[in-house]
Amino acid sequence: MKTLVLGAVGAALLAAPGSAQIVRHSSGGNAVILEGVSVPAGADTLMLSGQLASPIDSSKRPDSVESFGDTKTQTISALNKIKGILASRGYAMSDIIKMTVFVAADPKRQDGKMDFAGMNEGYRQFFGTPENPNLVARSTIQVAGLAGPYYLVEIEVTAAKMAAR
């Protein structure tokens, strides 16, 4: 009996690499982020440095937060930049598994807090959509400031996909 069990376990282990997949662990309910992600050995991964928003009008020198937009606008801009970088390396937004979002306080808010709702509105345009139903494991952190005085959002991501065979 031991030989049969060990044989079955060994066969399962040998079969696993060919059937290994990235597993997204949902937190359930209406959550917009994942509880976690399991990435098997052999997956190709790409880690992007933090990306900031681009100016709304690239012909003008940025001189205010309005030059880059509010938190939602900057989130969308940074995610579009990430989308382009990923595409240039053979990845898609659906390959993102982990995201860290740094958000500075919105100067229009009197309470000195980040615009978490605005960031989520921008995020929801890219994740959990018909085009990309995938969600990501994500952390969102309010910071005192970012690389420049007009930036409200910086996003870094990790993408993973199974290697082509």
Side-chain angles (χ1 to χ4, degrees):
M1 182 66 151
K2 288 182 183 177
T3 304
L4 180 59
V5 172
L6 289 176
V9 170
L13 290 174
L14 289 174
S19 62
Q21 296 294 320
I22 294 168
V23 178
R24 295 168 185 270
H25 305 284
S26 175
S27 6
N30 294 327
V32 297
I33 62 173
L34 296 175
E35 189 173 78
V37 179
S38 296
V39 179
D44 291 332
T45 58
L46 175 65
M47 295 169 213
L48 296 186
S49 297
Q51 300 298 313
L52 298 162
S54 296
I56 293 171
D57 183 349
S58 60
S59 68
K60 295 182 182 175
R61 181 178 169 88
D63 63 356
S64 67
V65 168
E66 287 73 26
S67 299
F68 293 91
D70 60 11
T71 299
K72 177 182 175 183
T73 302
Q74 288 196 31
T75 299
I76 292 167
S77 177
L79 288 171
N80 275 321
K81 192 182 285 186
I82 288 166
K83 185 176 183 177
I85 294 168
L86 290 174
S88 74
R89 288 169 176 75
Y91 288 79
M93 293 297 278
S94 59
D95 294 321
I96 296 175
I97 57 167
K98 175 68 172 97
M99 176 184 294
T100 305
V101 185
F102 303 96
V103 186
D106 184 336
K108 292 181 181 170
R109 289 182 60 138
Q110 300 299 315
D111 61 4
K113 302 272 182 159
M114 66 176 164
D115 179 8
F116 186 69
M119 188 281 302
N120 266 331
E121 285 180 48
Y123 166 87
R124 285 188 185 118
Q125 292 187 26
F126 293 84
F127 301 94
T129 67
E131 181 182 313
N132 176 19
N134 289 343
L135 299 176
V136 302
R138 187 187 85 194
S139 299
T140 305
I141 304 141
Q142 180 170 338
V143 295
L146 293 168
Y150 312 131
Y151 294 113
L152 298 177
V153 178
E154 182 172 346
I155 303 172
E156 62 183 30
V157 301
T158 300
K161 63 182 180 174
M162 294 311 298
R165 297 204 182 262

